[in-house]
């Protein structure tokens, strides 16, 4: 599913199966969220908090908030990729922005989310394990020069 990419921000690449297409002839909104969720799991593995890391550190991640923008239709058979941009971070949280791109590198959807590190036994917010913290900081340093995507911080509103 994930092909090697020269872009360190790319998390996942996926050809859209027919089962993900709805009655309007394009990818169902739930499937956009599924693909973003799959990309988050790849991201967590890269920072050392995949299944083995969560077990080793007795640590997990909760998603506190998400915001999805659907920008363009995606049809059956199209291939999309999801890239990441760490907008901000602290000892326990990551403000992450994901962009889904088609093969022309046009953004077809975005997801902004806040992740919180949780110590599993007490089920309380807790700083990231030291080894993970170092990787998060390295990735954040790669991402900080990027311009903020226009969807960051949007709210749902009816324009008048």
């Amino acid at each position: 599913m994930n092909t090697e990419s020269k872009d360190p921000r790319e998390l996942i690449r996926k050809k859209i199966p027919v089962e993900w297409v709805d009655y309007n002839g394009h990818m169902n909104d739930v499937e956009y969220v599924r693909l973003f969720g799959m990309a988050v799991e790849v991201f967590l593995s890269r920072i050392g908090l995949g299944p083995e890391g969560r077990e080793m550190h007795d640590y997990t991640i909760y998603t506190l908030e998400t915001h999805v923008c659907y920008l363009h239709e995606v049809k059956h058979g199209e291939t999309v990729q999801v890239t990441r941009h760490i907008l901000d971070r602290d000892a326990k949280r990551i403000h992450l922005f994901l962009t889904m791109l088609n093969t022309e590198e046009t953004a077809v959807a975005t997801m902004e989310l806040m992740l919180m590190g949780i110590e599993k036994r007490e089920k309380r917010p807790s700083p990231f394990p030291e080894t993970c913290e170092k990787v998060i900081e390295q990735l954040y340093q790669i991402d900080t020069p990027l311009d903020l995507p226009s969807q960051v911080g949007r709210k749902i509103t009816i324009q008048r």
Side-chain angles (χ1 to χ4, degrees):
M1 177 179 335
N2 192 22
T3 61
E4 288 301 314
S5 170
K6 291 182 182 16
D7 183 352
R9 293 177 189 92
E10 183 178 315
L11 297 172
I12 196 166
R13 225 174 249 268
K14 174 87 174 150
K15 186 174 182 178
I16 305 308
V18 69
E19 301 82 31
W20 287 17
V21 174
D22 67 14
Y23 50 85
N24 291 315
H26 53 76
M27 191 161 74
N28 187 288
D29 56 348
V30 153
E31 305 304 344
Y32 285 85
V33 174
R34 178 197 312 233
L35 191 52
F36 281 130
M38 293 164 69
V40 169
E41 289 302 317
V42 172
F43 172 74
L44 293 176
S45 289
R46 287 192 185 165
I47 65 170
L49 290 172
E52 299 84 18
R54 291 191 299 267
E55 184 69 27
M56 180 176 67
H57 296 294
D58 201 26
Y59 194 86
T60 193
I61 297 290
Y62 286 4
T63 302
L64 302 179
E65 184 174 351
T66 64
H67 189 134
V68 178
C69 292
Y70 304 95
L71 307 173
H72 294 283
E73 294 181 350
V74 176
K75 308 257 185 209
H76 162 250
E78 287 187 63
T79 298
V80 295
Q81 66 173 311
V82 177
T83 60
R84 62 134 181 91
H85 182 157
I86 299 173
L87 298 171
D88 201 3
R89 53 167 305 286
D90 66 16
K92 304 177 222 175
R93 295 173 295 187
I94 300 172
H95 184 184
L96 188 63
F97 190 85
L98 303 177
T99 304
M100 189 179 300
L101 303 159
N102 63 19
T103 54
E104 290 80 37
E105 298 199 8
T106 299
V108 296
T110 62
M111 176 183 269
E112 183 176 3
L113 60 159
M114 184 67 69
L115 302 174
M116 171 75 80
I118 302 290
E119 190 275 321
K120 283 167 58 172
R121 268 180 276 124
E122 299 294 321
K123 294 188 179 180
R124 298 185 55 105
S126 177
F128 295 110
E130 187 177 331
T131 55
C132 303
E133 167 66 26
K134 288 178 183 176
V135 176
I136 294 165
E137 179 59 25
Q138 290 170 345
L139 296 177
Y140 179 63
Q141 291 304 318
I142 291 169
D143 289 358
T144 52
L146 293 178
D147 292 332
L148 286 181
S150 63
Q151 292 83 21
V152 171
R154 288 182 57 178
K155 62 181 181 177
I156 296 175
T157 183
I158 296 174
Q159 299 294 322
R160 303 249 185 239

